[in-house]
Amino acid sequence: MGALRALLRVEWRNHRRHPWRTALLVVWLALPSAGLVAGWALVRTVPDDKREYIAARYGAADLLLSQVREPVFEAASTNWPADASYTRFDLGEEVLATNSGPRLVSTLAFEPGALEPKGLACGIAVVKRGRAPVGTGEVALSPSLLAAKRARLGHEVEWGGQRVRVSGVAVLPGDLRADLVVRELVRDAPLGERRVLVRYHPSFGRSWGQELQRRGIEWKDRRSGQGPHRQDRMESAVVLLVASFGFAVAALVVGAAVSVGLRRRQRDIALLTSLGTPRFLVARAALVSIVAVSLAAAVLGAGMGALGAALVHPVLPLVVGRLVGELEFRPLSFAAAPALAVVFSTIAAWPAILRASGLPPRVALGLARPLREVSGGVPWWPLGVAGAGAIAVFTSRPLVDGGTPGSIVFGSILGILGWASAAGGLLRLLGRGAGRWPLPLRLVARDAARAPLRNGAAAAAVLAGLSLAMLLSSLSGAVQRAAGEAGAGRDATLTLFLAGALGMGLAVVAAATALNAVEAGPDRRVLVLTGASPHTLRLVEGARAAYLALVGGVLSVPAGLLPTLGVLRLADVPLSFVMPWPELTFALLILPTVAFGLGMFVSFLLEPRRTHDRAPLLTPNP
Amino acid sequence: MSAPILRMEAVERHYESAGQRIRVLGPVDLELARGEFVAIMGPSGAGKSTLLGLAGALDRPDGGAVFLDGQKLWGLRGDELAALRRRKVGYVFQDLNLVEGLTALENTRLPLELDGLARRKADPVALAALERVGLGELAHRFPEELSGGERQRVAIARAFVGPRELLLADEPTGALDSLAGETVMRHLRTACDGGKSALLVTHDARHAAWADRVLHLVDGRFAHDNASVGGR
Ligand SMILES: Nc1ncnc2c1ncn2[C@@H]1O[C@H](COP(=O)(O)OP(=O)(O)OP(=O)(O)O)[C@@H](O)[C@H]1O
Ligand SMILES: [Mg+2]
């Protein structure tokens, strides 16, 4: 126990010595945690649940009478007890002539007070500002109609051939964008269908319903009201998918960071093991450290997510176009975020931990060279995982209730993970086949192949972000085309997402490239001494950065497009595949080019100004 | 006799240390003729590596002048220095002389490739250089698949590949056992017999004995010239 405590103290000191690296890990893991908590809470409030659905039809009443004819209703209600409460409302349509042609407008007419918070019709429509109209000289209009009329609250407008005052702004809770006019009800002049909302009275009994039916009045009980079940399963699955992508990317960063951190301490670790510390203790300490970081990150992220959801919730109606329910957090999300964070980061850190704790001390101390990795050719098992993912995606069938089967989600995740873990093997293959490539490319391909795990992870991070961008872009394109809005232009969120994916890809590539460049330091010195011009050296560093970006970009194409094809298969409406050209261009062309330019530029900045007149920056013996 | 491949005239080098200017080398004169193999010996800290750095334009003298193949090393730009290193002079240090990501052949070919020579033309030249140091068989191995002595021989092959004819070696056998060291020396000797030139810094008198001349550097000055005929 004492030894483990001592090792943990070393780990802790290490986090404090490199606070930025630890902070980076925390941020990477906190973001998907926050996304999961906030996403699940928000998607839950968006679709109308049963309560909202019923409130939009029954208001606060228990019974809804429809197709009411006034004389029949008066006859039926003469026997009602004096304290029975009910209110009439009308449901109709009007045509509004506008510059762009006639517009169909829903009309709702209520009795005075019915829309008040305690009124029976409360919830069928909502007066957001002002008050409900009184008399025939007033109306309440929806924001869309106010805009069409260029009017404001309190203005007079031309409506149905007469001038009326706008007394309020009214909306339908389920569709804030609907064209709606609210009027005061006129008892003897129904505007469309007349309905009556009734609060249940104990004296009604069974015969009461039969009496109404006998007189030809349709009625429904609120309790029998059919409401949709929650429709947020698809959305929740998408949130889980996106969060898992986030965790997978974070895991790659964690793997790289742990690997670098352990490598820089490999002499210390070797000293510890040569002094008799068991290897499993070293591994366990590293593992405890990464689990602690993941948990802390997930808790922080969950808090951020809850806060974020609370901040976003009030403005959500503007985004989704309907009044949304109360914010409801899913307890599961608070458990899932830490669990996913720990699982993903442990899996990612494990190979590095194993390698560092298992390194022969002679190698770790730099007394012997590590053996060259003589590992296999084609990365079969990662490709197998990707293949299994593809099969899962393509063989899944829609659920009976139209939901998305989990196999699509997990197939997509498997696919991404497969392609991502194939990246390392691919880098090794490319490194071996580089014999005929131009010198800079050959050098960086072989260098990248020397650390396939780390560089594979960097390429995989590029892959994950870009493939997700492709998937979203292609799906949204398909939906747009199906809706006949092919020319509607690109969604701003897609562009934002692409920008995020590119930024992330560039950051990860920069980190990995910097490490590769540091490791290739002795080679660079040999190149200088053998007569490589400054320009050649810049080319090498540019190629170093571009190479990882390009490998990640190329792999992102199958990883992004295969799940898209699978999802399209399951759509209720026939959707055709849309090539995400902007994403493809960025993945295959622009990102590598930018990385190349950055690599050249950084190399230029770091260049010693090696003229013979200046002090030497090249020491003959290292 | 043609012009010497390397000439140093009254070369001096000072270092600033704790606010004091300390002369660590010079003034020294040195001439290396074509086909000549010169060894420099001396105690640690005598300035041997400093001298070699000045000779190869890795460092600049505070006084005097250095001529490489008749060209004065003064105020050359980065790309001019690079061209000089590609075409005229090779370095061999105690360790880390090869690019890890390139095979023996590619390492040997490197100066030619950097100079823009097509691979088709460069490969036979590089292979010939490798065969001269007895490594034709191992041309396609990577540095980490070679022994320390073999790596040093690849570095020698590269120093003399194609038109390159001057080798500056700083304790190239320092990390080798005596047998491997002797082999490296024999290949160096053979190259110089074939018209190339070498300036070798060593601590080992048996290795210095392969040279045409042995110079002793003590406190930054040559103690005495010893123009012996080296043992072959
Ligand atoms: N960058 C420097 N700054 C200050 N002093 C230096 C520097 N480089 C070398 N020196 C000093 O210059 C002197 C000569 O160094 P040099 O490396 O040439 O010795 P050397 O003869 O090669 O020794 P060794 O046999 O140990 O390699 C030494 O006293 C050393 O401390
Ligand atoms: Mg020295």
Side-chain angles (χ1 to χ4, degrees):
Chain A
M1 203 56 223
L4 182 61
R5 189 139 6 110
L7 284 171
L8 285 176
R9 208 173 303 129
V10 173
E11 291 286 341
W12 169 244
R13 223 173 280 142
N14 203 45
H15 284 305
R16 300 219 347 217
R17 255 222 324 265
H18 304 283
W20 285 112
R21 192 159 69 209
T22 308
L24 188 77
L25 297 190
V26 168
V27 168
W28 275 105
L29 286 165
L31 285 179
S33 307
L36 189 63
V37 169
W40 270 0
L42 290 177
V43 297
R44 178 158 260 215
T45 66
V46 171
D48 49 350
D49 59 19
K50 190 164 172 171
R51 202 179 56 220
E52 291 162 359
Y53 181 86
I54 289 176
R57 278 152 193 77
Y58 292 84
D62 300 303
L63 305 161
L64 171 66
L65 283 47
S66 47
Q67 311 281 1
V68 173
R69 273 169 299 124
E70 210 40 64
V72 181
F73 174 67
E74 267 166 28
S77 60
T78 42
N79 304 335
W80 287 10
D83 58 344
S85 64
Y86 60 90
T87 183
R88 300 169 169 81
F89 78 98
D90 290 346
L91 195 64
E93 276 171 351
E94 302 174 34
V95 176
L96 175 67
T98 65
N99 293 341
S100 51
R103 223 153 122 175
L104 209 57
V105 175
S106 310
T107 309
L108 284 171
F110 298 96
E111 292 189 305
L115 287 179
E116 302 285 302
K118 269 180 269 166
L120 281 180
C122 169
I124 293 179
V126 174
V127 179
K128 285 206 314 180
R129 285 187 291 137
R131 51 171 177 76
V134 177
T136 51
E138 286 188 347
V139 292
L141 297 180
S142 62
S144 58
L145 290 180
L146 277 179
K149 285 279 180 191
R150 294 175 207 279
R152 290 226 214 105
L153 192 60
H155 283 195
E156 294 226 326
V157 293
E158 173 82 26
W159 194 273
Q162 64 180 115
R163 292 201 69 76
V164 292
R165 213 179 72 87
V166 178
S167 71
V169 180
V171 293
L172 291 176
D175 189 0
L176 297 180
R177 293 174 192 125
D179 292 342
L180 173 73
V181 54
V182 172
R183 298 167 170 280
E184 190 180 78
L185 181 128
V186 181
R187 171 85 60 97
D188 300 321
L191 293 164
E193 184 199 343
R194 169 127 322 159
R195 296 181 166 194
V196 180
L197 294 165
V198 185
R199 181 154 288 155
Y200 186 76
H201 195 278
S203 71
F204 282 172
R206 277 178 68 90
S207 59
W208 174 87
Q210 289 161 0
E211 160 83 5
L212 281 178
Q213 240 152 22
R214 200 172 46 75
R215 292 177 186 266
I217 294 179
E218 294 273 325
W219 65 274
K220 272 191 195 150
D221 189 333
R222 178 190 193 102
R223 280 165 301 175
S224 74
Q226 295 285 309
H229 291 292
R230 283 193 185 285
Q231 289 286 296
D232 59 4
R233 282 187 37 195
M234 169 78 183
E235 288 83 350
S236 299
V238 169
V239 168
L240 181 63
L241 181 69
V242 173
S244 301
F245 268 121
F247 278 117
V249 172
L252 298 170
V253 177
V254 168
V258 168
S259 156
V260 170
L262 287 175
R263 174 171 315 201
R264 296 181 64 170
R265 289 189 295 142
Q266 77 183 15
R267 289 179 67 94
D268 301 356
I269 294 173
L271 276 176
L272 284 174
T273 48
S274 64
L275 288 176
T277 313
R279 295 219 169 123
F280 74 86
L281 269 189
V282 175
R284 195 185 289 173
L287 210 57
V288 168
S289 152
I290 196 67
V291 166
V293 168
S294 313
L295 278 180
V299 168
L300 179 77
M304 276 164 41
L307 192 71
L311 288 177
V312 169
H313 186 247
V315 295
L316 201 55
L318 298 179
V319 182
V320 299
R322 59 187 311 276
L323 292 184
V324 297
E326 296 282 298
L327 193 58
E328 241 181 279
F329 287 104
R330 226 180 259 199
L332 181 63
S333 66
F334 290 100
L340 285 174
V342 167
V343 167
F344 271 93
S345 55
T346 309
I347 291 177
W350 189 240
I353 290 175
L354 220 55
R355 182 186 167 279
S357 64
L359 212 58
R362 267 174 56 75
V363 173
L365 290 170
L367 302 177
R369 280 164 181 270
L371 284 177
R372 189 179 171 74
E373 279 189 72
V374 273
S375 39
V378 183
W380 287 119
W381 75 259
L383 290 179
V385 171
I391 290 172
V393 166
F394 281 98
T395 55
S396 28
R397 307 192 172 289
L399 299 183
V400 191
D401 63 358
T404 312
S407 50
I408 286 233
V409 177
F410 288 105
S412 305
I413 294 177
L414 271 190
I416 301 279
L417 286 181
W419 288 112
S421 40
L426 188 76
L427 287 178
R428 263 202 303 249
L429 270 186
L430 287 175
R432 274 202 261 149
R436 308 203 148 267
W437 298 3
L439 181 68
L441 208 54
R442 181 167 10 120
L443 270 179
V444 302
R446 295 218 179 114
D447 283 351
R450 297 168 73 82
L453 211 65
R454 182 180 75 221
N455 294 313
V462 174
L463 174 164
L466 285 175
S467 58
L468 194 55
M470 278 179 208
L471 182 127
L472 292 179
S473 169
S474 182
L475 281 183
S476 117
V479 170
Q480 267 188 2
R481 185 185 282 177
E485 304 167 354
R490 212 173 135 77
D491 198 333
T493 29
L494 287 180
T495 308
L496 209 67
F497 195 92
L498 178 61
L502 289 174
M504 183 199 73
L506 217 50
V508 175
V509 163
T513 304
L515 264 162
N516 290 343
V518 167
E519 281 179 0
D523 287 350
R524 190 181 166 98
R525 166 178 161 272
V526 180
L527 282 175
V528 171
L529 290 178
T530 321
S533 64
H535 179 67
T536 306
L537 294 174
R538 271 175 243 150
L539 278 183
V540 169
E541 298 314 319
R544 208 185 285 289
Y547 183 66
L548 288 181
L550 188 63
V551 170
V554 167
L555 284 181
S556 72
V557 177
L561 296 189
L562 283 181
T564 312
L565 291 172
V567 172
L568 290 183
R569 269 190 57 244
L570 287 185
D572 330 342
V573 283
L575 294 177
S576 55
F577 178 72
V578 173
M579 202 48 117
W581 286 117
E583 280 73 14
L584 283 176
T585 317
F586 270 97
L588 299 178
L589 205 66
I590 297 182
L591 183 65
T593 310
V594 169
F596 183 80
L598 277 180
M600 293 244 318
F601 184 63
V602 171
S603 169
F604 170 75
L605 287 185
L606 297 181
E607 231 159 66
R609 301 287 165 259
R610 272 184 308 270
T611 63
H612 190 225
D613 283 344
R614 299 192 190 204
L617 285 152
L618 208 62
T619 46
N621 270 327
Chain B
M1 193 178 146
S2 58
I5 181 80
L6 174 71
R7 202 168 87 233
M8 302 177 88
E9 284 178 358
V11 166
E12 291 183 41
R13 185 70 171 98
H14 297 80
Y15 281 121
E16 210 74 49
S17 174
Q20 276 199 319
R21 208 169 129 88
I22 301 167
R23 178 157 64 192
V24 298
L25 185 72
V28 292
D29 299 297
L30 175 69
E31 254 190 45
L32 190 63
R34 282 167 207 278
E36 198 178 16
F37 180 1
V38 171
I40 299 178
M41 296 188 70
S44 182
K48 306 183 293 293
S49 296
T50 305
L51 178 85
L52 218 58
L54 293 171
L58 300 180
D59 189 7
R60 103 173 230 222
D62 313 306
V66 181
F67 299 85
L68 245 180
D69 203 12
Q71 185 180 15
K72 188 171 179 181
L73 300 183
W74 187 260
L76 291 185
R77 288 195 321 268
D79 49 349
E80 292 167 331
L81 274 176
L84 197 78
R85 295 195 179 111
R86 286 199 295 272
R87 293 169 196 159
K88 297 237 147 70
V89 51
Y91 307 82
V92 180
F93 299 106
Q94 185 170 333
D95 202 0
L96 299 175
N97 289 301
L98 304 182
V99 178
E100 293 281 313
L102 299 182
T103 62
L105 182 66
E106 289 170 331
N107 262 296
T108 313
R109 189 177 72 196
L110 193 57
L112 307 174
E113 196 173 357
L114 287 171
D115 217 24
L117 200 63
R119 194 174 309 158
R120 227 169 354 94
K121 289 188 183 154
D123 267 351
V125 180
L127 199 58
L130 270 180
E131 272 158 4
R132 278 199 296 276
V133 297
L135 291 178
E137 303 281 295
L138 307 183
H140 296 290
R141 292 233 188 135
F142 283 91
E144 57 198 3
E145 298 163 331
L146 298 172
S147 76
E150 288 163 349
R151 284 200 291 272
Q152 297 302 70
R153 277 147 69 191
V154 172
I156 289 171
R158 185 181 60 204
F160 290 140
V161 74
R164 309 174 97 206
E165 47 185 342
L166 173 62
L167 177 135
L168 303 172
D170 196 344
E171 297 178 42
T173 54
L176 305 179
D177 63 43
S178 57
L179 193 63
E182 287 292 313
T183 313
V184 167
M185 282 305 127
R186 198 172 55 247
H187 285 296
L188 213 50
R189 181 69 252 173
T190 316
C192 292
D193 288 344
K196 311 279 186 179
S197 323
L199 190 58
L200 166 78
V201 167
T202 182
H203 281 292
D204 193 326
R206 282 169 304 166
H207 294 166
W210 288 90
D212 297 318
R213 272 198 292 158
V214 180
L215 303 174
H216 286 273
L217 198 66
V218 180
D219 287 339
R221 310 286 302 266
F222 286 124
H224 53 88
D225 270 25
N226 181 5
S228 74
V229 183
R232 318 245 148 142

